[in-house]
Amino acid sequence: MATGFMTDTLFFWHDTGTAALMLPADPLHGVEPDAHVESGRTKRRGFELLDVTGLLDMMTRVRARPAWIGELLRVHTDAYVQRVAQASAQPRGGDAGDGFTPLGRGSDEIARLAAGGVLDLVTAVASENLTNGFALVRPPGHHAVADAGMGFCVFNNAALAARHAQIQLGLRRVAIVDLDTHHGNGGQQLFYDDPTVMHISIHEAGSFPPDSGWIEETGAGTGEGYTINVPLPLGSGHAAWLYAMNQVVLPALKRFQPDLIIVPVGFDGGCFEPLARQALVVDSYRQMASLLTKAADRLCDGRVVAISEGGYNPEMAPWCMVGFVEGLIGRNGNLSDPLAGITAGYAAAPMLPHQQDVIDRAARLVPRITATVPAG
Ligand SMILES: [Zn+2]
């Protein structure tokens, strides 16, 4: 049994244009044009590093294919799907919603290719041809809501994967464990009142979106209790994230008894990351992936599908991705991490009391979860 891997060269060609970090370039107001922070560069370097390290050869390739309109409509509105297509057909593209989600020419086709590839990866994992899988995609998805793109995200790949697993593959309980360093607001909103999809997000408090992802957001209606947020303070690092995994994520998974675990994972928690202020190291990602695969072995025949989200440091994010993939494959620590020497202090930094307090508060929400899912 192998780990599946899905990517496509076109994902690196999704054109986010010029910007300064994420600010739209505007020479008239002092914003000098530069490459957009969410360009193809970092993820292309990640792909190349998977190749150079030999990890690519250890995985079974799953080809991308475009998502059908009907698949997109399980999560997104018809008006939104049409709006993305129209904007992306323009010679200079457009924006998917919030002014921070640029679409280049052809980005609709590329986003649909990413979503469809993720769905086929889920199918391959669920059919037991593959143990687990990793999708390296652009554009990312976890901020996208039903009727709008947000924060560089166009179609919500993780949410589409969850609905595909339920509707197409007959899996009843899906757990989404969002490990991007920004809040998984899209998945949370889409499944807020749905007890069949448990949504847990560990992220930097108040980062993006700045007004969501708080511990008080726990679901609604029959979905009450099936949303858990761990909004970590600025500067939380390896010890805090692993503590959150052990105190919140793993116990919640054990109670929920998922049939599939979907992991939107951003590699933007690294200590050199430009768009967040967490302090993870490469080994943090390796260990988080390892914990998830072991939990999946116990709970759901190993079924974990991880989908790339953010990650904007072109040098560190690719190594964080490599660490995560090593954890998925089960090759823990076999590759030397060239950053280990200069990040040793971050790796060893203890969790601070105000960080532990947040995680302990989230852990007290876990007993509200049960595996009792109403008949769908
Ligand atoms: Zn992010």
Side-chain angles (χ1 to χ4, degrees), residues 11-358:
F11 299 160
F12 309 125
W13 293 11
H14 163 52
D15 183 4
T16 46
T18 56
L21 279 181
M22 77 299 282
L23 289 174
D26 187 351
L28 300 181
H29 293 87
V31 184
E32 180 183 345
D34 199 348
H36 193 285
V37 71
E38 205 293 299
S39 73
R41 180 180 174 214
T42 301
K43 291 213 173 89
R44 186 200 300 272
R45 286 174 63 97
F47 175 74
E48 290 170 353
L49 191 60
L50 289 173
D51 186 16
V52 167
T53 53
L55 291 174
L56 203 56
D57 291 336
M58 298 178 196
M59 297 188 280
T60 300
R61 190 75 178 257
V62 172
R63 292 284 161 193
R65 56 95 177 159
W68 309 313
I69 296 294
E71 291 172 327
L72 297 177
L73 295 182
R74 290 175 185 152
V75 164
H76 295 287
T77 64
D78 189 41
Y80 175 59
V81 170
Q82 289 186 38
R83 203 163 74 236
V84 170
Q86 287 162 3
S88 127
Q90 302 303 311
R92 299 175 68 86
D95 189 277
D98 62 349
F100 292 95
T101 309
L103 296 166
R105 182 166 169 79
S107 287
D108 173 52
E109 286 82 354
I110 297 172
R112 286 178 55 187
L113 197 62
V118 166
L119 302 190
D120 274 7
L121 183 63
V122 170
T123 299
V125 169
S127 67
E128 301 179 2
N129 292 330
L130 299 171
T131 306
N132 54 31
F134 179 64
L136 173 54
V137 299
R138 290 180 69 242
H142 77 142
H143 292 309
V145 295
D147 60 356
M150 273 183 73
F152 321 151
C153 297
V154 179
F155 297 132
N156 197 312
N157 301 311
L160 289 162
R163 285 297 184 231
H164 174 77
Q166 292 183 317
I167 296 169
Q168 205 68 33
L169 307 174
L171 302 179
R172 292 183 72 206
R173 287 189 295 272
V174 179
I176 297 179
V177 179
D178 190 308
L179 298 181
D180 188 275
T181 310
H182 306 98
H183 180 223
N185 62 293
Q188 172 174 307
Q189 187 174 321
L190 288 160
F191 302 114
Y192 205 57
D193 59 359
D194 185 346
T196 69
V197 180
M198 179 177 74
H199 193 276
I200 303 178
S201 179
I202 307 176
H203 50 268
E204 181 171 284
S207 178
F208 187 85
D211 56 353
S212 74
W214 303 106
I215 210 157
E216 295 78 10
E217 299 161 20
T218 57
T222 57
E224 176 68 42
Y226 292 85
T227 292
I228 296 181
N229 286 305
V230 188
L232 292 173
L234 293 167
S236 301
H238 179 86
W241 280 71
L242 268 293
Y243 185 74
M245 289 293 297
N246 282 307
Q247 298 299 313
V248 181
V249 174
L250 298 187
L253 289 172
K254 188 176 178 187
R255 289 189 67 84
F256 186 66
Q257 295 283 310
D259 299 311
L260 168 70
I261 303 171
I262 295 171
V263 186
V265 55
F267 303 102
D268 45 11
C271 53
F272 300 139
E273 162 65 33
L275 294 193
R277 288 294 174 269
Q278 299 295 286
L280 298 180
V281 297
V282 171
D283 192 50
S284 315
Y285 285 95
R286 184 183 290 115
Q287 290 197 34
M288 289 195 287
S290 181
L291 288 173
L292 286 167
T293 55
K294 286 173 183 160
D297 284 344
R298 293 190 296 270
L299 295 168
C300 51
D301 296 328
R303 290 192 285 264
V304 176
V305 175
I307 307 161
S308 71
E309 297 290 348
Y312 307 100
N313 181 296
E315 285 75 35
M316 184 169 194
W319 271 103
C320 292
M321 181 188 299
V322 159
F324 192 86
V325 168
E326 271 195 295
L328 272 187
I329 293 176
R331 272 177 49 105
N332 292 343
N334 287 351
L335 294 173
S336 64
D337 166 13
L339 295 163
I342 52 174
T343 60
Y346 290 97
M351 175 170 56
L352 300 177
H354 71 296
Q355 298 165 353
Q356 181 175 346
D357 180 59
V358 171

